[in-house]
Amino acid sequence: MRKGAGMLGGAGRRPGAASLFLLVVAIAAQVGGTAPANAQQFSVPSNARTLILDATNAYRAENGLPPLRLSPGASKAAQDYAKYLASTDKVGHRADGRSARDRLKAVGMEVCHVWENWHKSWADDGSRVPVEEAMAKAMTFWKNSPGHERTLRAPAREIGIGVIGWKHGKRWIYTEVQVFMDRSCLKRRPKERAFPPIVP
């Protein structure tokens, strides 16, 4: 399975030279913000986000860190961005011209600190990989990449997760996005807006 993935995205940071290099070698980005003509979404089992949440919290427990609460608002932002990356076949933390913090603000989320991981994967032979294997591949990549691994251990308290499947030509591509956030500095934490259930 081939993989394309983004580098660590900190609050207010721009990708450095290493990040930009990875964006070039990971996958060719499309120009424009619309889906290519031969692209279409495919359904992803509803347990995909749970697989990533459980694996992330298990890894944090191994490192003596508390579990993260799944945030509906952050998950909405993560899902929207995963859909954007998947449908346009773009990559990066600012592919839509916004930062992770900007995308959280768009769904009504004020944060103190934010971190982001993203990942894309597909099979070379054109087959559709089982969702369990695809989510495991994403976690393995993040654990083995220093920047992503630090994000998995970020001093966050909540997480948003987005997972989507999009077919481009013969490639059945899974795109996963994690948004880690800390809101402990807020004197008064606004109540999260209610969002419809996310359909991967």
Side-chain angles (χ1 to χ4, degrees):
M1 173 178 286
R2 297 176 60 191
K3 298 179 286 294
M7 294 296 288
L8 170 67
R13 295 179 182 175
R14 294 183 178 180
S19 177
L20 292 175
F21 175 75
L22 182 59
L23 298 188
V24 172
V25 300
I27 182 175
Q30 296 282 344
V31 176
T34 58
N38 64 341
Q40 63 182 40
Q41 185 176 349
F42 64 87
S43 62
V44 174
S46 58
N47 68 328
R49 286 193 306 150
T50 301
L51 291 170
I52 289 182
L53 176 64
D54 290 348
T56 299
N57 279 336
Y59 187 72
R60 289 174 64 86
E62 291 172 8
N63 287 274
L65 297 170
L68 300 171
R69 182 185 75 84
L70 187 65
S71 161
S75 291
K76 175 69 166 60
Q79 186 70 18
D80 288 349
Y81 192 50
K83 184 175 182 179
Y84 179 85
L85 293 177
S87 63
T88 62
D89 210 12
K90 288 188 174 185
V91 296
H93 292 289
R94 291 176 176 266
D96 62 351
R98 301 182 297 170
S99 67
R101 184 184 293 271
D102 293 333
R103 290 187 286 272
L104 286 172
K105 283 185 178 180
V107 296
M109 302 294 295
E110 292 292 334
V111 298
C112 308
H113 303 285
V114 58
W115 304 261
E116 182 181 78
N117 278 339
W118 66 267
H119 179 267
K120 287 189 178 188
S121 62
W122 62 91
D124 283 330
D125 62 5
S127 63
R128 179 175 171 178
V129 176
V131 67
E132 293 81 5
E133 181 180 339
M135 300 307 104
K137 287 287 185 181
M139 287 302 304
T140 297
F141 181 89
W142 289 330
K143 290 177 185 178
N144 292 331
S145 170
H148 300 87
E149 193 274 337
R150 285 194 296 271
T151 297
L152 292 175
R153 295 185 290 106
R157 300 187 179 188
E158 299 169 271
I159 188 173
I161 299 172
V163 180
I164 199 165
W166 214 276
K167 188 177 181 183
H168 289 269
K170 294 182 179 180
R171 296 178 302 155
W172 297 79
I173 303 174
Y174 288 94
T175 300
E176 306 89 6
V177 173
Q178 293 178 308
V179 179
F180 300 76
M181 63 181 187
D182 170 34
R183 297 192 289 167
S184 61
C185 72
L186 301 180
K187 294 182 179 179
R188 185 176 182 181
R189 185 178 302 180
K191 185 177 180 181
E192 285 194 49
R193 289 161 46 188
F195 294 96
I198 293 175
V199 180

